[in-house]
Amino acid sequence: MAVAGPAATDLEVVRGKRAALFFAAVAIVLGLPLWWKTTETYRASLPYSQISGLNALQLRLMVPVTVVFTRESVPLDDQEKLPFTVVHEREIPLKCEFLRVRAAFHV
């Protein structure tokens, strides 16, 4: 009976190693592709023809500005002298190859 004990233990060790290898194989065969697919970055296709068309885009940016005076901050005579519909335009070049902005300020 002394021989049956160590043989059974050797069989359990071999069986344990096989079980560990099986679980490792399942983790690699199923887990790795699943992890790879669920963590990949989405890459959208870019509309290159529309992007190249931005070179000829004319952009006009208008910023409405309202000036409000508090009481007695400006004398009434000076308020009447102020122009209320003044448009200041200036071209502001952007540090970009394909855009130039022309801004109009209405006071």
Side-chain angles (χ1 to χ4, degrees):
M1 289 291 204
V3 178
T9 308
D10 290 341
L11 184 61
E12 289 176 8
V13 169
V14 171
R15 202 162 132 201
K17 286 182 181 179
R18 285 185 184 168
L21 287 173
F22 175 75
F23 283 118
V26 168
I28 291 171
V29 170
L30 294 179
L32 189 63
L34 182 65
W35 168 79
W36 188 268
K37 187 66 177 165
T38 57
T39 58
E40 71 182 356
T41 303
Y42 172 71
R43 304 282 183 189
S45 59
L46 295 176
Y48 291 107
S49 61
Q50 292 176 358
I51 292 172
S52 64
L54 291 176
N55 223 0
L57 181 67
Q58 294 292 324
L59 180 66
R60 185 177 173 106
L61 178 67
M62 297 184 66
V63 181
V65 177
T66 304
V67 179
V68 179
F69 297 105
T70 59
R71 263 187 215 159
E72 300 176 1
S73 65
V74 178
L76 187 61
D77 295 338
D78 291 339
Q79 286 181 12
E80 293 173 355
K81 295 176 188 174
L82 292 174
F84 286 103
T85 57
V86 176
V87 176
H88 298 284
E89 286 191 12
R90 68 178 171 171
E91 193 167 312
I92 304 171
L94 295 179
K95 293 180 181 178
C96 193
E97 293 179 4
F98 56 88
L99 280 179
R100 295 185 85 189
V101 175
R102 186 175 184 94
F105 302 97
H106 297 277
V107 181

